[in-house]
Amino acid sequence: LRGALAPVRQRHDPALHNGACLLGLQGVVVKSHGAADERAFAAAVGRAFAASQGALPARIREGLRACGL
């Protein structure tokens, strides 16, 4: 059963999803968990890079304007 559940465990591994983007800022800020190991911290850096490359703050700003906010 362990082998069958390995893909599920990997997909939901918190270390691979570490880092939360903070909204309301002019740039990209990603907060990592304080107990993050190297793998989790690398995931947070990757999340920050992806948000920066994808112009996340500008896209959020445009979305809010489209909603009239």
Side-chain angles (χ1 to χ4, degrees):
L1 188 59
R2 185 178 306 202
L5 292 177
V8 174
R9 186 175 356 159
Q10 289 174 354
R11 186 173 50 236
H12 296 288
D13 183 356
L16 298 177
H17 302 286
N18 184 40
C21 291
L22 302 179
L23 302 179
L25 303 171
Q26 295 296 321
V28 173
V29 175
V30 174
K31 169 66 174 96
S32 177
H33 191 278
D37 61 9
E38 294 105 12
R39 193 167 133 231
F41 187 74
V45 170
R47 184 173 304 273
F49 180 76
S52 176
Q53 292 297 105
L56 181 62
R59 290 180 27 224
I60 290 172
R61 188 170 33 256
E62 291 167 11
L64 290 173
R65 284 184 185 145
C67 293
L69 299 174

